[in-house]
């Protein structure tokens, strides 16, 4: 899983979080390739979900500060991403993780970043300029 320019929001901390999420996806890729035991995959899901929740909380806090009129819709998208990750976790609950685990995770995270997160970033940059956000 590689970082692409289409994921960049130009908001420093948000981009750093997104890169970290890509690192988690790479760990899933690695776990599937090496047939990692179920308890390792479950621990990885736990760490990913904890970080993802923190990331969503940070984004929503920033959206409240801006303030961003799309906050409620964006929060709904976050809930949908979390529930997709939970569905993936259930599919991976057995001892053999599905082959498409990392790709499915990438699809739901990357879509949200490239669409919803960038929409917010464009709005915030229009208001305050590129260099003004944390
Ligand atoms: Fe995000
Ligand atoms: Fe988001």
């Amino acid at each position: 899983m590689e970082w692409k320019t289409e994921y960049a929001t130009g908001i420093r901390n948000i981009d750093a979080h997104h890169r970290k999420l890509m690192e988690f996806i790479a760990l899933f890729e690695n776990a599937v390739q090496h047939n990692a035991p179920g308890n390792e995959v479950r621990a990885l899901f736990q760490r990913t979900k904890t970080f993802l929740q923190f990331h969503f909380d940070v984004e929503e806090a920033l959206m409240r500060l801006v303030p961003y009129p799309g906050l409620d819709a964006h929060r709904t998208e976050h809930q949908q991403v979390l529930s997709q990750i939970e569905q993936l976790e259930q599919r991976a609950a057995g001892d053999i993780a599905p082959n498409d685990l990392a790709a499915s995770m990438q699809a739901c995270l990357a879509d949200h970043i490239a669409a919803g997160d960038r929409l917010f970033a464009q709005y915030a940059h229009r208001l305050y300029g590129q260099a003004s956000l944390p």
Side-chain angles (χ1 to χ4, degrees):
M1 170 77 208
E2 278 173 27
W3 176 262
K4 295 184 195 157
T5 50
E6 71 198 60
Y7 303 147
T9 65
I11 302 172
R12 203 169 43 245
N13 283 300
I14 301 292
D15 283 337
H17 283 183
H18 291 161
R19 285 178 192 273
K20 189 165 171 70
L21 289 169
M22 305 293 156
E23 285 170 24
F24 277 115
I25 292 169
L27 292 176
F28 276 103
E29 230 160 33
N30 204 37
V32 171
Q33 270 166 16
H34 295 91
N35 291 318
N39 62 335
E40 259 178 48
V41 176
R42 281 189 288 278
L44 194 48
F45 264 105
Q46 216 41 58
R47 286 171 55 207
T48 305
K49 286 193 305 180
T50 301
F51 182 74
L52 194 56
Q53 186 63 64
F54 170 66
H55 167 62
F56 286 165
D57 288 347
V58 169
E59 265 187 14
E60 289 168 21
L62 187 57
M63 287 174 189
R64 271 188 289 273
L65 281 174
V66 164
Y68 179 49
L71 170 63
D72 284 345
H74 200 99
R75 199 174 15 220
T76 302
E77 278 186 43
H78 283 169
Q79 283 158 359
Q80 285 164 351
V81 171
L82 278 172
S83 88
Q84 283 174 308
I85 301 282
E86 270 158 15
Q87 281 165 24
L88 271 177
E89 188 177 17
Q90 278 162 16
R91 272 182 54 216
D95 277 337
I96 299 170
N99 282 331
D100 64 345
L101 183 57
S104 304
M105 192 167 290
Q106 176 181 335
C108 76
L109 289 175
D111 282 356
H112 175 69
I113 292 169
D117 286 353
R118 281 174 46 116
L119 206 62
F120 162 63
Q122 281 162 14
Y123 180 85
H125 288 145
R126 262 202 308 275
L127 276 184
Y128 303 121
Q130 189 83 23
S132 55
L133 294 155

